[in-house]
Amino acid sequence: TVQAGARVGQVVDELRKHGLTLPNLASIAEQQMGGFIQVGAHGTGAKITPVDDFVTSLKLVTPAHGTITLSPKEGDRFQMAKVGLGCLGIVSEVTMRCIPAHNLVEHTFVLTRAEAREQLDTLLKKHKHVRYMWIPYEDAVVVVTNDPEYQVPKHAGIDEITSNLSAEERFRPLTDLLVELAGDNHETYTLETIKGMGFGELRDALLSFAPLDKDHVKRVNKVEAEFWRCSEGWQTKPSDQLLQFDCGGQQWVWEVCFPTGTYETNNGNDMKLLEELLQAIEDENIAAPAPIEQRWSASSSSFMSPAHGESEGLHSWVGIIMYLPSDDANQRTEITTEFKRRYCELLRRIGSKVSAASHWAKLEVPQDVTQLKNLQQFYRSRYPADKFKAQRKENDPKDILGNRTIDVVLGRP
């Protein structure tokens, strides 16, 4: 049990002292626990539910009823409040189920797109955690799997180091291109000055020369694919260290979730969406940097979770990204416009075929009136919007806790 303002990373650090950890983590741990559950954050694992599903008790401060405590015995009220989007009350305390702390063995390797499609079902069943990172314009998919150390056979190759190459050799595709571009653009990067730059810093520096030029982004994606090929290997660390990962510098991200059958029978929606998205990126000449990230989860029992569904359900989460690699105001505005108007609309159009809904923390409301009406209609059919509004009205009759985005998409109570 923790106060809702505690950050996920702080909670994990304290749990470690008691030999415990959280069942799953999102890519970052800077979120506060209240927001972590209220937006339905998730990690990856075909049999692992989003984090809200591990909540066993919630304490809410409501305008109408003061402080209330909800648990499974409250039935639908509890299932609605777990992903309440902050609208059903201010979360002040969270009780979550924990698991024993453990090490994970992480394996990073690169497949072709065809191999990634063919091996997906096997990988999802074989490994506890699976993450795909698709690289636009490249026939390369970075695969990251994680499994508890005690479940990995000793002969599985995990004694190998993370990579047989030195850090300098792994980064060379990126650094060589950066030095070449610096010379062409009269910049001051040299092999000496870029020593110590991390992967995210190098990618930002490369993209900053022309982040919306498709051919330039293709060159950057190509060397990124080579970097990952040079970085194939294994590592073993505590689970909370491996389930988080470096997301890079400042960026725009939009992520959607959609059903893709069941754990036993994947209906193929996950691969169909990626195949169509990657083809559309190339056909429409979108300067899409890497990666397009894809993760999976089991169904959540929370009514407002994008992954709500039957207990054996399988859901895929797909995130697109555009970086803001410099402080140039004009460049940042151009990237923002391109991301929201073209890239997000592309994913929205393709995602509509598989009932894809936005991650609540990354919801982008369309500017176009027709698109907005379509989004409202979709969300009010995908979620129990009337029940959610009724619960809002009961807990917060004057809409003190509402916000414009939720009110526009789901309607005021």
Side-chain angles (χ1 to χ4, degrees):
T1 299
V2 296
Q3 293 183 337
R7 297 195 180 277
V8 174
Q10 294 174 313
V11 173
V12 169
D13 288 343
E14 290 301 314
L15 286 173
R16 190 183 297 114
K17 298 174 184 178
H18 302 279
L20 298 170
T21 192
L22 295 176
N24 210 349
L25 292 169
S27 55
I28 59 174
E30 285 78 17
Q31 314 101 312
Q32 293 174 309
M33 289 294 292
F36 187 53
I37 63 165
Q38 284 290 282
V39 299
H42 66 97
T44 189
K47 298 201 77 173
I48 305 175
T49 58
V51 297
D52 53 272
D53 215 46
F54 296 100
V55 174
T56 59
S57 178
L58 273 179
K59 188 175 286 187
L60 300 178
V61 181
T62 70
H65 306 297
T67 300
I68 61 175
T69 300
L70 298 175
S71 64
K73 67 182 181 181
E74 273 74 39
D76 287 359
R77 291 181 67 207
F78 176 64
Q79 299 302 345
M80 189 71 75
K82 286 190 298 179
V83 181
L85 310 176
C87 296
L88 302 183
I90 298 170
V91 180
S92 63
E93 192 174 275
V94 180
T95 301
M96 291 185 71
R97 181 159 53 87
C98 299
I99 62 174
H102 58 284
N103 284 341
L104 288 175
V105 177
E106 180 174 275
H107 186 198
T108 300
F109 54 100
V110 180
L111 299 176
T112 66
R113 291 181 182 181
E115 290 170 337
R117 289 192 297 269
E118 293 166 2
Q119 297 183 29
L120 175 64
D121 289 344
T122 298
L123 291 170
L124 289 178
K125 288 182 171 66
K126 182 178 179 181
H127 300 286
K128 185 175 182 180
H129 307 276
V130 177
R131 173 163 55 102
Y132 275 10
M133 294 186 288
W134 302 78
I135 301 182
Y137 298 102
E138 285 292 311
D139 188 16
V141 184
V142 183
V143 182
V144 182
T145 66
N146 285 276
D147 294 286
E149 186 176 21
Y150 59 82
Q151 292 181 357
V152 178
K154 293 298 183 182
H155 57 77
I158 61 173
D159 292 332
E160 297 184 32
I161 58 174
T162 302
S163 172
N164 292 322
L165 302 177
S166 67
E168 181 179 349
E169 290 171 318
R170 291 190 295 113
F171 284 122
R172 185 161 295 151
L174 304 168
T175 56
D176 283 353
L177 179 58
L178 183 54
V179 171
E180 177 187 340
L181 292 171
D184 293 342
N185 291 273
H186 308 290
E187 296 287 343
T188 56
Y189 290 114
T190 66
L191 286 175
E192 189 63 32
T193 60
I194 61 181
K195 279 184 178 179
M197 291 177 67
F199 171 69
E201 294 175 290
L202 288 168
R203 179 170 54 198
D204 271 1
L206 289 168
L207 287 170
S208 67
F209 289 101
L212 294 178
D213 183 300
K214 181 202 70 173
D215 291 332
H216 175 72
V217 173
K218 285 175 65 175
R219 292 184 71 188
V220 177
N221 288 357
K222 184 177 182 64
V223 296
E224 178 165 340
E226 188 57 34
F227 162 80
W228 285 112
R229 292 188 182 100
C230 293
S231 301
E232 293 182 318
W234 288 263
Q235 60 176 328
T236 302
K237 290 182 179 179
S239 63
D240 58 276
Q241 294 182 25
L242 290 180
L243 294 179
Q244 302 172 57
F245 50 89
D246 183 3
C247 296
Q250 295 182 41
Q251 58 199 240
W252 283 109
V253 176
W254 189 41
E255 184 179 29
V256 298
C257 174
F258 54 95
T260 184
T262 66
Y263 177 79
E264 290 299 331
T265 308
N266 186 335
N267 66 18
N269 280 348
D270 46 9
M271 293 298 97
K272 291 174 186 175
L273 182 140
L274 258 298
E275 186 173 358
E276 187 171 349
L277 178 60
L278 289 163
Q279 187 61 54
I281 286 170
E282 297 179 10
D283 291 344
E284 299 184 24
N285 295 316
I286 291 178
I292 298 173
E293 186 180 68
Q294 186 168 32
R295 290 179 280 176
W296 290 264
S297 79
S299 295
S300 168
S301 60
S302 304
F303 294 146
M304 296 300 290
S305 168
H308 176 70
E310 299 298 325
S311 60
E312 291 300 311
L314 179 65
H315 302 261
S316 184
W317 302 73
V318 172
I320 58 174
I321 192 167
M322 275 191 174
Y323 302 94
L324 299 166
S326 79
D327 294 326
D328 183 283
N330 289 333
Q331 184 186 85
R332 293 168 73 92
T333 298
E334 291 171 356
I335 293 170
T336 299
T337 300
E338 176 74 359
F339 180 77
K340 292 191 174 185
R341 291 187 181 175
R342 290 190 70 212
Y343 204 0
C344 287
E345 178 49 35
L346 178 64
L347 179 55
R348 184 178 289 111
R349 187 174 75 237
I350 294 171
S352 67
K353 301 175 184 179
V354 292
S355 192
S358 176
H359 186 310
W360 283 114
K362 302 166 185 174
L363 179 61
E364 293 289 342
V365 178
Q367 301 300 310
D368 180 84
V369 174
T370 301
Q371 293 175 357
L372 176 57
K373 288 182 178 178
N374 291 338
L375 182 70
Q376 291 170 329
Q377 183 179 4
F378 168 63
Y379 270 65
R380 293 171 192 180
S381 63
R382 196 181 196 275
Y383 294 103
D386 289 342
K387 290 183 178 180
F388 184 68
K389 287 169 64 176
Q391 192 66 58
R392 287 181 68 184
K393 190 170 184 177
E394 179 184 333
N395 290 8
D396 182 22
K398 296 183 179 180
D399 198 20
I400 295 171
L401 303 177
N403 64 74
R404 181 181 177 277
T405 298
I406 298 304
D407 286 349
V408 166
V409 174
L410 294 175
R412 292 173 62 88

